[in-house]
Amino acid sequence: MKLFETGELGFLDSIKRFAKNNALVKFGFGDDAAILHDKSGKNHLAITTDLLVEDTHFSFKFCTPRELGVKAYEVNASDLAAMGAIPYAAFLSIGVRGDMDMQDMIAFYKGFESAARRHDCVIAGGDTVRAERLIVSVMLIGLRPQNAPPMLRSSASPGEHVYITGAPGESGMGLHLLINGQNNSSDKRLQPLIKKHLLPKARIREGIALADARAVGAAIDISDGVYNELRHISRMSKVRLVIETAKLPVSAGLKRECRRLGIDPLEMLLFGGEDYELLFTSPHPLSLIKKIFQDAGSKTHVQKIGGVEKGRGVIFVDADGKRTSFADKTFRHFVFNGE
Amino acid sequence: MKLFETGELGFLDSIKRFAKNNALVKFGFGDDAAILHDKSGKNHLAITTDLLVEDTHFSFKFCTPRELGVKAYEVNASDLAAMGAIPYAAFLSIGVRGDMDMQDMIAFYKGFESAARRHDCVIAGGDTVRAERLIVSVMLIGLRPQNAPPMLRSSASPGEHVYITGAPGESGMGLHLLINGQNNSSDKRLQPLIKKHLLPKARIREGIALADARAVGAAIDISDGVYNELRHISRMSKVRLVIETAKLPVSAGLKRECRRLGIDPLEMLLFGGEDYELLFTSPHPLSLIKKIFQDAGSKTHVQKIGGVEKGRGVIFVDADGKRTSFADKTFRHFVFNGE
């Protein structure tokens, strides 16, 4: 059978049996990052990797080389944030086209390195090869607080609350504006949304604060859209997530542009993707979560959007307690069958 | 300036300033692997990464998917061997073509996993994306003996001896035979040479034994040819390497095929590449190096091929003590300028 017939999930199902744990590798395939223990069992490393291919994951029609460098770092750092880890070593491999400009490649490295410097994370190695399209393969290694719970997708429990950081949907709107040629628009109000897409910031500070406080059940970063990540947690934790649509944090900027363009802001929030915010469950009330963030020096908005129950699936209820549903419009990065 | 004008070295020179050390990352760009310390400074991790692109680094004209899987593991494991580390966690990211066969991809993973199992190394994560040519990005994490010297390219000292393991040149001959359509040859004597190219075995046992015995100055694995790796050690250690050509280990199989094909066996040995043998310097005599290998249960051949002196460069001397030279025929994986 050809891969375009099996699709992503069929493919992943076939290869996941090759992923295993050993004495030092505690969690593998399926989560944002793997966790390694050292021999003493004391230090926890979290490791994540992403492969980005030109014209599949990025295009220089929409971003500069410097922006690509920043984003290549941040999307990986975001996976570590969801595991409560702080990046300290980066491995950056690239396949480069011969017709690329040297200054552009230097700008790419500068972008990556400047973003990494925020966490005192250094580029510790990599590989450079020739390719017909730019390939960026990033691996980040991060440190987790000693003995912090693992914050897996599978560790949500009934009775916990569901929280989300920041303003999801803005990145998706930013991409929508870029695709529609608004990058150089004179409308200054569009730029913050576009910047959210091009220059995301991983929630490292918040992830570590949550890990330090042992405050989290399950956690995930929102790369593929809120809807999709909710389903991941539900499926892997074998719980039901009940989401109150009225509590989903639609930002003023997202609301304004959605009104102008005739888009449902909740749909953009649920399916937009690439928000790199944290979605997590916790037994603690919102007031304590806010205090944990404040004590860590974070000004990031955090909102309670629902609860964890026994059962399965993700259920949306409106302000009147009535169930609502959304057609799944999640963008698939990895489509073999021409969807 | 375009990358095809600057070439690989110009490019690497421009980006290497972005590679830095921090409190936990001890060595970065330029060596086979980076070394990370944990907070206690006790455990040493060695990390290496390789990016392989279809038709640049491999072709299914010459290898099966399973063989590619084995080799993708072994070439990275070989980088760890040169640092005296044993792999324990692998991250395997791939970009796949939609027209690839699922069974082929499973065979690829099986090959990788079976090779990794020798070291109790597990696939701990990765990323799968769509690409127009197969892309394989591997990262291996290994453990080094506590407080073992780093075994860098830059740590050779005058007075040391130069050693090499195995039968370098056989892999280059194997590739030569493959390119010339000898894969299905009825001549059984060709298969061991072809297998050396398709299914290399990293010298993990030997690397760890050398690290355990604190027996090594500089070490490197021979991926780009003996000549090139000698120059790396000479340049980075700022020493002169004096190589006795009569002592270079030309295997019987290599000698036989070179005679048949009219190729200088020393040239194949020096420039063939992809041998994944260890080239290292040591203050210890050959008898002690052999004992270290034997005690570790290794039957790998090791030979003393020369010495380290004050000065610069690599000098070849023949059996009469007369200097000889070789035109550099090293194959460049990464050629921008059409060489």
Side-chain angles (χ1 to χ4, degrees):
Chain A
M1 189 180 272
K2 301 293 181 191
L3 291 184
F4 62 74
E5 296 169 291
T6 63
E8 178 177 18
L9 288 181
F11 179 61
L12 290 179
D13 269 352
S14 297
I15 61 170
K16 78 180 175 198
R17 66 188 153 110
F18 295 111
K20 296 188 179 108
N21 290 350
N22 65 12
L24 297 169
V25 178
K26 289 308 169 193
F27 307 97
F29 258 56
D31 258 287
D32 291 304
I35 295 181
L36 307 185
H37 291 224
D38 71 8
K39 278 178 173 164
S40 67
K42 273 190 186 159
N43 283 285
H44 296 69
L45 298 178
I47 303 191
T48 190
T49 185
D50 256 315
L51 188 59
L52 306 171
V53 180
E54 189 172 9
D55 296 333
T56 300
H57 302 93
F58 63 88
S59 164
F60 289 124
K61 275 190 289 189
F62 298 142
C63 70
T64 65
R66 188 179 196 288
E67 286 165 343
L68 178 65
V70 170
K71 190 159 177 175
Y73 174 81
E74 295 289 348
V75 302
N76 280 278
S78 179
D79 283 326
L80 292 189
M83 305 295 272
I86 182 166
Y88 77 97
F91 293 79
L92 177 55
S93 294
I94 54 170
V96 290
R97 288 184 273 110
D99 65 348
M100 291 192 71
D101 200 275
M102 179 71 117
Q103 288 310 312
D104 284 345
M105 288 316 301
I106 291 174
F108 166 80
Y109 274 86
K110 270 190 184 159
F112 189 97
E113 197 265 345
S114 67
R117 203 187 305 139
R118 284 193 298 135
H119 306 125
D120 194 27
C121 173
V122 295
I123 301 176
D127 194 9
T128 48
V129 303
R130 194 182 191 179
E132 287 178 14
R133 293 183 187 218
L134 187 63
I135 301 164
V136 178
S137 180
V138 178
M139 170 159 268
L140 283 193
I141 301 181
L143 284 174
R144 305 186 73 242
Q146 293 199 4
N147 306 317
M151 298 167 63
L152 305 179
R153 296 178 182 191
S154 58
S155 47
S157 304
E160 291 178 340
H161 311 292
V162 181
Y163 293 100
I164 201 165
T165 65
E170 287 196 342
S171 172
M173 176 55 79
L175 176 62
H176 181 88
L177 293 169
L178 280 171
I179 289 171
N180 288 286
Q182 299 293 315
N183 201 4
N184 299 309
S185 164
S186 60
D187 188 341
K188 286 253 166 62
R189 296 177 307 174
L190 306 184
Q191 291 311 314
L193 297 165
I194 290 170
K195 207 173 157 189
K196 269 288 179 66
H197 183 75
L198 294 177
L199 296 166
K201 269 217 161 74
R203 298 294 185 200
I204 293 292
R205 188 192 296 262
E206 293 74 15
I208 295 171
L210 292 169
D212 262 333
R214 284 90 173 111
V216 162
I220 198 167
D221 79 316
I222 306 168
S223 48
D224 292 337
V226 174
Y227 183 86
N228 210 33
E229 313 299 5
L230 286 167
R231 288 206 305 186
H232 278 315
I233 290 179
S234 159
R235 192 164 45 221
M236 293 188 67
S237 293
K238 300 189 172 68
V239 294
R240 172 177 294 162
L241 300 181
V242 181
I243 305 303
E244 302 173 57
T245 55
K247 289 192 175 167
L248 289 169
V250 178
S251 77
L254 178 61
K255 203 178 291 178
R256 184 192 65 233
E257 288 311 309
C258 281
R259 196 180 311 122
R260 188 172 68 84
L261 297 165
I263 296 172
D264 179 352
L266 279 191
E267 286 205 351
M268 189 57 91
L269 186 151
L270 289 173
F271 307 115
E274 297 207 52
D275 288 305
Y276 304 107
E277 297 292 346
L278 294 181
L279 176 69
F280 59 97
T281 69
S282 173
H284 300 307
L286 179 60
S287 56
L288 181 54
I289 299 294
K290 283 189 169 170
K291 187 174 182 320
I292 289 168
F293 277 23
Q294 277 161 13
D295 290 351
S298 164
K299 289 171 182 165
T300 297
H301 180 74
V302 59
Q303 191 144 336
K304 186 178 137 187
I305 61 169
V308 185
E309 294 183 357
K310 283 187 185 171
R312 293 288 185 277
V314 180
I315 292 172
F316 293 89
V317 294
D318 67 15
D320 303 326
K322 224 172 55 189
R323 283 191 176 201
T324 59
S325 66
F326 298 89
D328 183 5
K329 295 184 177 174
T330 303
F331 174 75
R332 309 279 175 212
H333 274 288
F334 183 97
V335 175
F336 284 133
N337 49 8
E339 269 172 14
Chain B
M1 188 182 269
K2 301 294 182 190
L3 291 184
F4 62 74
E5 296 170 292
T6 62
E8 177 177 18
L9 288 181
F11 179 60
L12 289 179
D13 270 352
S14 297
I15 61 170
K16 76 180 175 199
R17 65 187 153 111
F18 295 110
K20 296 190 179 104
N21 291 350
N22 65 14
L24 297 169
V25 179
K26 290 308 170 193
F27 307 97
F29 257 58
D31 259 287
D32 292 304
I35 296 181
L36 307 186
H37 291 223
D38 71 8
K39 278 177 174 165
S40 67
K42 271 189 186 160
N43 283 284
H44 296 68
L45 298 178
I47 303 190
T48 189
T49 185
D50 257 315
L51 187 60
L52 306 171
V53 180
E54 189 172 9
D55 295 332
T56 300
H57 302 93
F58 63 89
S59 164
F60 289 123
K61 274 189 291 191
F62 299 141
C63 70
T64 65
R66 188 179 195 288
E67 286 165 343
L68 178 66
V70 170
K71 190 159 176 174
Y73 173 80
E74 296 289 347
V75 302
N76 280 279
S78 179
D79 283 326
L80 293 189
M83 305 296 271
I86 182 167
Y88 76 97
F91 293 80
L92 177 55
S93 294
I94 53 169
V96 291
R97 290 185 272 109
D99 65 347
M100 292 193 70
D101 200 276
M102 179 73 118
Q103 289 310 313
D104 284 346
M105 288 316 302
I106 291 174
F108 166 81
Y109 273 86
K110 269 189 183 159
F112 189 97
E113 198 265 344
S114 67
R117 204 187 305 139
R118 284 193 298 134
H119 306 125
D120 194 25
C121 173
V122 294
I123 300 176
D127 194 10
T128 48
V129 303
R130 194 183 192 179
E132 288 178 13
R133 292 180 187 222
L134 187 63
I135 302 164
V136 178
S137 180
V138 178
M139 170 160 268
L140 283 193
I141 302 182
L143 284 174
R144 306 185 73 242
Q146 291 199 5
N147 307 315
M151 301 168 60
L152 305 179
R153 297 177 182 191
S154 57
S155 47
S157 304
E160 291 177 341
H161 311 293
V162 181
Y163 293 101
I164 202 165
T165 65
E170 287 197 342
S171 171
M173 176 55 79
L175 177 62
H176 182 87
L177 293 169
L178 281 172
I179 290 171
N180 289 285
Q182 299 293 315
N183 201 3
N184 300 310
S185 165
S186 60
D187 187 342
K188 285 255 167 63
R189 297 177 308 171
L190 305 185
Q191 291 310 316
L193 297 165
I194 289 171
K195 206 173 157 189
K196 270 287 180 69
H197 183 75
L198 294 178
L199 295 167
K201 269 218 160 73
R203 299 294 185 200
I204 292 293
R205 189 191 296 261
E206 294 74 16
I208 295 172
L210 292 168
D212 262 334
R214 284 91 174 111
V216 162
I220 197 167
D221 78 316
I222 305 167
S223 48
D224 292 337
V226 175
Y227 184 85
N228 209 33
E229 313 298 5
L230 287 167
R231 289 206 307 185
H232 278 314
I233 291 179
S234 159
R235 192 165 46 222
M236 293 188 69
S237 294
K238 299 189 172 67
V239 293
R240 171 177 295 160
L241 300 182
V242 182
I243 305 303
E244 301 172 58
T245 55
K247 290 192 176 168
L248 288 169
V250 179
S251 77
L254 179 62
K255 204 178 288 178
R256 184 192 66 232
E257 288 312 308
C258 280
R259 196 182 309 122
R260 187 172 69 85
L261 298 164
I263 296 172
D264 179 353
L266 279 192
E267 286 205 352
M268 189 56 91
L269 186 151
L270 290 172
F271 306 116
E274 299 206 51
D275 288 304
Y276 304 107
E277 297 292 346
L278 294 181
L279 176 68
F280 60 97
T281 69
S282 172
H284 300 308
L286 179 60
S287 56
L288 181 54
I289 299 294
K290 282 189 169 168
K291 187 175 183 318
I292 288 168
F293 278 22
Q294 277 160 13
D295 290 350
S298 164
K299 290 172 181 164
T300 298
H301 180 75
V302 59
Q303 191 143 337
K304 186 178 138 186
I305 61 169
V308 186
E309 294 183 357
K310 283 186 186 173
R312 294 288 185 278
V314 180
I315 291 172
F316 294 89
V317 295
D318 66 17
D320 303 326
K322 225 173 54 190
R323 282 191 179 202
T324 59
S325 66
F326 299 89
D328 183 5
K329 295 184 178 174
T330 304
F331 173 75
R332 308 280 176 213
H333 274 290
F334 182 97
V335 175
F336 284 134
N337 50 8
E339 269 171 11

